Each structure stands twice: as C-alpha cells, then as structure tokens.
Amino acid sequence: MAINQDNVRLVFGLKLKQLRLDKGMSLSELSQKSGLSISYINEIEKGKKYPKSDKILALASAIEVDYDTLVSLKLSKRLEPISDLLSSNILTELPLELFGIDPANLLEILSDAPTKISAFVGTLIEIARNYNMSIEKFYFSALRTYQEMHDNYFEDIELEAERFLADHNVAAASLLDEQQLETILKDQYAYTIEPINERSNPEFATVRSLTITNAAGTRLLINAHLSSVQRAFIYGREIGYLYLNLKNRLHTTALVEAESFEQLLNNFKASYFGSAIIIKRSLLVPAIADFFAQKTWQPEKLIQLIHDFNTTPESFCYRLSNILPRYFGINQIFFSRFNNFVGQNLFHMTKEMHISRKHYPHTVRDEHYCRRWVALTILNDLGDIIQAKQPPRILCKAQKSTYIDTQDQYLVVSFAQPMSPTPNLNVSVSMGIYLDEQTREKLAFLDDPSLAAREVNQTCERCSLFDCRERIAAPVILQKRHKNEELRKALKRMIN
C-alpha cells in the first residue's frame, strides 16, 4: 500500500489498538505483558510515536502475533476506508490549516474511535463513488468551501492588486486594458506571446491558453478565437502568478491537469488578482451603489458596466461576489454558470458557489433543473436569437424567484452570451441575492413592475407544482418522499 511516511505511525497505532481490542485486552493488561508503560502505549496507539524494533517485538509477543503482522501496513477489512484515506493524497495535499483543522488533531480523532470513524469515512467514500467524485472534484469542492468560509473576499490579494497598480502608475480613475497587460508581460517578465497553432496541435483547439516555461524563456500561447476581453483576463491572471510568486501552477486553462489542491488554490489566487487589477474595487463599489439606488430595473446599465470595465459577464458577476458581502453587507448570495448548446433542452451546471445557508441551486445527478429559472430561460432566448441569424450579444435578465417549498425569495440576475471558442455553445452566469428585509431596503428597484416574479423549485423530480407547463420530468423523488411519509404514519397508527 502506497502511504505517506508521516502516516505510518498512525497505521501502526490503529493496528495495535485494533489487535488489542480484538484480544479483549485493556491498556493496563498490555502494559503488564509487554513491559511498556501505559502512557507510552497510549502515545503509540494515537499515532504520536513509533516504537523501536525491540519494543515492537515485546508488543507482538504480548498480543500473540508475529512481528511482520504487526508492522505490516495492511489494516483489517473494518478499517479499510481509513486505509484508503491515508493512501490517497487528500491528507497530505489538502492544507487542512486553511479550514482551521490541526492535522495532528485529525489523526488523534482517527485513532480514538477507529471503527466508528472508519464507518463514517467509508460512507463518504461510497457517496463519492456513487456520484463519480474524482480526487479533482474533491479538490474543487474543498476550494469552493474555502471561498465560502471567507465570503469569497480576500483582503490580502486586494491589497497586492492595489500595490501592483500603484507600482505601474495606474491612475485612480483609469483601467488596465489588454494592450497594457500584454506590454507588462513582455517587457517586465520577458514573455513571448503567440497564437496556438491548431493545425499542428488540434488537441488544444478548445484550450484558451497554454504557458510553457523552459531554458529559452516563457511562452504564452493564446487561442486565436478569444476576444480582447478574454485575453486581458488571461494576461491579468498570468501576472497574478508572477506578482504573487505562486510557483506551483496550472499551465493551461484545462483544469483537468490539476495534480494537487495547491495548484487549484494558486490558480484561484492568480485569477482573483487578475480580476482585481482589471475590475478595481475603488471604481466598482460606487458604480454598484449607484445602480442599487435606481428606482427602476435597468439591465442595459449592467451591460454597460461590463463593457466599461473591459470584462466578461462571468468575471463581472464573480467580482460582485467579492465585494457584495464586504461593502454592502449582502452575504446571502450564490453564483452559478450553465452551459447549453443551441436548440437543445439540456443544461449543465459547470460552476457554483454559495455564500448562503438558504435555498440555492445546487449540482444534482440525473435530475432536471427547474426550467423556470432565469438562468435557463435566458439561454433559450439567446438560442432563439442565434437561430434567427441575428447578431449574438450579451443578454441580461432578472427575476424575483420564490422557492415553492420554503417561500424563500431571491433576486437572480442572469447574463447570457456565446461561449467562444466552442461553436453553438452558450453560457449563462447568474448572481442570486437572498431577499431578506435588510437587503430589500438596499435595492431600490425591487418594486419595479417590469421586474419578473416567478415561483420556482430546484428540480422537476422534487417539485409539487403539478400544473407547471415547463415540467419535463415526473416528481418521482417527491412522490417517493410522500409514499414513505404515508408508510411512517401507518406504522405509527399500528404501534399506537
């Protein structure tokens, strides 16, 4: 079994404790038979110490097993889930400190009740397998949780971005554009920037960028189909890697290359930095305050802000998720991104983040998202425009969505546009704001009659709205839930 050396002590301790309990021996009895102190054996079982060979022999003799059995890294079937966990990269690569967890304390928890913890870990592993959760998806989930813990706002990166802008004499009212960012990469960091040759490397046709560093220098290859705005973000993120001195990095925009959590975390930090130097908080905050003060809903003003900041709807929404909690006290929000091919009634959630403990869209398996969501209807609208041979453009719609089961209400603002460079692929990005009493007071345009309002749910399979015209699947999960509830009531009547 491949296992990190730091965890060998824990495996030995788990095995010793398991064998001792299987023999029905107390710590005191093992101490008497082995000649080792109770405190020392306790330290071994907790994975804090690894005994020398003579002490291993004494322990093996006391519990009546041979030396090789005791030092083997193979755990019993009951502890296999813990063995799988320790054999993986999770405990060694995931920086537990970011989540306020002391690795030593975690190992102590594992050693205190190994069988119970093993059952719990086994349950998590089984769930992950059923949902096809790879280690990469686990890292993505951990990264989202890290962002949500901090309300997706990181003051240290904001300050580094502002220091960079000051270093490059960017005026308070000015914004960096693609040409300026490209010049910085070339002149200050000696980058060579060139297009990806799709004929020579067709496998990179859908990759947005590729960074190659060797003895000859650093080459940044850019997809020729990208817009100026998309290139500017890539340049900003590349500068983020350099300015923040992030060594362990991704080299393409294809995140499947991620080999560790650190790479994903560094990619997030570099991307955050790139957004912060392009969409300056000193300009964004007053612009959003002005928009919130409007008495009417004016989506064209949001689209104009996207153009003014030389960014994309996704980067704009994501940047909003940084500043809304910190500067407006709006911290019950979610962000989502959906992909849809023109003419198809299939929608795939490709990104989500929720700084919220209320109802919000979530990734589901083998279920159909509510077709009443503005995030999906706006994609249909864009598809109609493209099929009618009209010039594609950024669309913006908003909706006050009330979830049927909870009556929680969100203001959901969605943008949709074609997703370059993939043909016929459209993307919508949405920002959802939970409408509690305090938030309602901050959004002056909420009572505008032009602002659509609809009842929604999470998926068709869970929805009780039987007369819904948009329904495309039976409420099978809801029906099963009702059937089980009726069964419980019947059992209760019989028992009583």
Side-chain angles (χ1 to χ4, degrees), residues 37 183 231-232 246:
S37 69
T183 300
R231 290 193 297 270
L246 303 172

Side-chain angles (χ1 to χ4, degrees), residues 32 124 171 285 296 324 331-332 448 467:
Q32 292 175 1
L124 296 181
V285 171
T296 57
L324 288 183
N331 53 18
Q332 295 286 340
D448 184 348
D467 61 348

Side-chain angles (χ1 to χ4, degrees), residues 270-285:
S271 298
Y272 190 113
F273 179 93
S275 292
I277 63 174
I278 294 172
I279 311 175
K280 296 161 63 174
R281 63 174 173 177
S282 59
L283 298 179
L284 180 62
V285 171

Side-chain angles (χ1 to χ4, degrees), residues 185-196:
L185 278 176
K186 288 180 176 179
D187 294 351
Q188 186 171 337
Y189 296 105
Y191 267 51
T192 300
I193 301 176
E194 55 192 78
I196 293 175

